[in-house]
Amino acid sequence: VRVAVGESGAAVVTLLRATAPCGASAHALRPGALLRAVEALLADESVHSVVLDLSSRESLYLADHATLAAAVKEVREGTGAAREQAAPPQRAASLLSAEAALAARWAALCEAKLVVAVLGDVVGSAGVALALPCTYRVAARSTVCQVADVTLGLPVRMGFASHAVKQMGAHWALYLALTALPLPLRPASDNTAGEAAPAD
């Protein structure tokens, strides 16, 4: 997690991929680091607004199509690190607890300060879960939501289901989680006659 606070009181938060090892683990969320950053931002009275940058090529959440395609190819062909081993029950329970704590504190930050999510070309499951509670979300007309976690050997986590069902509807949430195919996030005014699209 990289946090840069400007003199104007605006902070920019970027979630970075691990440089090593490669493979699926490089794209897994470490909730502890982000939780510490969120707590610091909540406590800092000089910070009045936060920008969550999910558009950087360094982003944990594979913000562009080329990076996503390369990561999926690496995992499928086994050219990166070994595939993830199943976490023991104690570790899995600890991770779920940490993510629940992060979700609660992230929601508190979004209520206490102006939080803007800047989306990249591709928004994954954790990106959706973090972006939807924000005050504003900025995206290009070409931006797509693509939950590629399963194809990377990662679980769909970070509250994706609850946020996606509320904002997009159960049909689209299930479509994204099961197919790993891209879904355009275009305004409703752009839809052609008879074509369904997720809300917001």
Side-chain angles (χ1 to χ4, degrees), residues 42-141:
L42 275 167
D44 191 341
E45 296 182 355
S46 68
V47 174
H48 57 74
S49 59
V50 177
V51 175
L52 175 65
D53 184 6
L54 297 175
S55 66
S56 170
R57 287 184 177 272
E58 301 174 281
S59 173
L60 173 69
Y61 297 119
L62 306 166
D64 62 279
H65 295 282
T67 304
L68 174 59
V72 171
K73 182 175 184 290
E74 180 181 86
V75 171
R76 285 179 174 173
E77 296 181 354
T79 55
R83 293 178 183 270
E84 303 294 316
Q85 298 295 317
Q90 297 87 346
R91 182 182 174 191
S94 176
L95 179 60
L96 289 174
S97 177
E99 290 187 348
L102 172 59
R105 298 307 286 161
W106 181 256
L109 179 66
C110 292
E111 291 179 2
K113 303 176 188 287
L114 174 67
V115 183
V116 179
V118 179
L119 309 179
D121 293 333
V122 182
V123 186
S125 66
V128 168
L130 291 170
L132 288 179
C134 293
T135 313
Y136 299 106
R137 296 168 292 275
V138 181
R141 289 183 180 272

Side-chain angles (χ1 to χ4, degrees), residues 2 4-5 10 19 33-34 39 77 81 88 90 104-105 135 141 149-150 156 159 180 182 191:
R2 181 174 63 206
V5 180
T19 54
L34 181 54
E39 294 288 9
E77 296 181 354
Q90 297 87 346
R105 298 307 286 161
T135 313
R141 289 183 180 272
D149 307 61
V150 174
V156 178
N191 293 340

